[in-house]
Amino acid sequence: LTLTLTLTLTLGEVTYRCMGFCEKNREALDDDLNDVILTARNPLVGAAIRTTQVQANFAAGVPRPRSFSGHGPGRQEAKAHGLSVANQFKRSLRDLVVTVASTKTLYVRCIKPNPRQQPDALAAPSVLQQLRYSGMLEAVRIRQQGYSVRFAHADFAHRFGGVFPEAQDLEELLSALQKLFQASWQDWQIGRSRVFLKAPFYGKLERLARLRTRVAATRITRSYRGFRRRRGAARIQTWAR
């Protein structure tokens, strides 16, 4: 018999196994809370906290300290082995932040192609469920609604300046492109150092830039071939004379 707990969340259902749940989530109380509980007038409360500490130390293989109160060696030993889960998490997180800050971080989202982790097998429902539960679909939707494409001023002028060479500055260039595509002024914004574009508007600009590049390449190739033919004909005429 396997006991499970299923929570229905916004993104779907999440199932937890209840076996070993208490052991995995056992957390020692802070020292200040232990001190307060040990001073309780009810002897049952003090005995309960002492018993809990003894059981926790015994499970961890820690010898029984001499005392649970005061400032003696037994108290220091209890503090050393009474590190709570929250404090361990904070310490690990602090070490991780230091490590990440010293590196150039690239975040990669890993998706399992199938639950059995077999090669050459793609389970589309499982992949979609992972993307939905991890918030990737919502993040993509929010990013599409905002200014997801960003260019430095010089890079934008270099990439799309050839589409409208008559423009004198970035604002004039973007205004001309806006009229060309019948777009809204909300599709782009000019910052101090960058140009912000929405994804649909950027897609149109990119297609137009590629089209202009292909047309220009075709013209250059045609002109060069014509030049070679004319030069070859001139040489033949020179030799014939």
Side-chain angles (χ1 to χ4, degrees):
L1 179 62
T2 302
L3 299 178
T4 59
L5 173 64
T6 302
L7 300 180
T8 303
L9 306 177
T10 304
L11 299 176
E13 294 183 350
V14 180
T15 301
Y16 298 92
R17 294 183 179 179
C18 299
M19 298 300 296
F21 184 84
C22 295
E23 288 75 10
K24 293 180 181 179
N25 296 273
R26 188 185 302 275
E27 182 175 357
L29 295 177
D30 292 336
D31 294 335
D32 295 337
L33 294 178
N34 287 332
D35 293 338
V36 172
I37 295 176
L38 287 173
T39 58
R41 296 181 179 179
N42 190 334
L44 180 61
V45 176
I49 190 61
R50 290 189 181 92
T51 304
T52 303
Q53 289 178 340
V54 170
Q55 292 176 351
N57 292 338
F58 179 78
V62 180
R64 179 176 180 178
R66 298 178 182 177
S67 64
F68 291 99
S69 61
H71 301 281
R75 180 59 178 168
Q76 295 177 359
E77 188 176 2
K79 284 187 176 181
H81 296 281
L83 189 62
S84 65
V85 176
N87 289 332
Q88 294 179 14
F89 177 76
K90 289 167 60 178
R91 178 182 297 178
S92 300
L93 183 60
R94 184 166 52 251
D95 296 340
L96 178 61
V97 170
V98 173
T99 303
V100 170
S102 62
T103 60
K104 185 177 181 181
T105 308
L106 297 176
Y107 295 95
V108 179
R109 176 72 68 177
C110 297
I111 302 297
K112 296 180 181 179
N114 57 81
R116 298 182 179 179
Q117 301 184 13
Q118 295 179 349
D120 301 327
L122 178 65
S126 176
V127 173
L128 180 60
Q129 184 181 34
Q130 294 177 67
L131 293 175
R132 182 180 291 113
Y133 283 10
S134 62
M136 290 295 297
L137 299 180
E138 186 68 15
V140 170
R141 185 185 66 82
I142 295 175
R143 189 171 178 84
Q144 288 179 344
Q145 292 180 352
Y147 298 98
S148 57
V149 183
R150 303 170 184 180
F151 281 94
H153 290 176
D155 295 339
F156 183 85
H158 177 74
R159 179 70 180 120
F160 303 106
V163 177
F164 193 76
E166 295 81 4
Q168 300 297 325
D169 52 20
L170 285 176
E171 188 171 358
E172 185 178 353
L173 174 61
L174 283 168
S175 299
L177 294 174
Q178 174 184 340
K179 294 179 182 179
L180 178 63
F181 293 111
Q182 296 181 355
S184 171
W185 63 270
Q186 297 179 351
D187 292 332
W188 58 272
Q189 294 292 331
I190 300 179
R192 292 183 178 180
S193 61
R194 293 185 178 274
V195 177
F196 301 88
L197 306 173
K198 288 191 175 180
F201 186 53
Y202 167 70
K204 296 177 182 179
L205 291 180
E206 191 64 31
R207 286 192 293 270
L208 179 59
R210 292 178 181 178
L211 179 60
R212 290 293 183 93
T213 302
R214 287 197 295 267
V215 171
T218 302
R219 291 179 179 177
I220 293 173
T221 304
R222 185 187 306 138
S223 299
Y224 178 70
R225 289 176 179 175
F227 169 73
R228 292 189 59 182
R229 293 193 188 97
R230 291 192 297 271
R231 186 175 62 177
R235 289 179 178 178
I236 294 175
Q237 292 177 0
T238 303
W239 292 339
R241 293 176 184 174

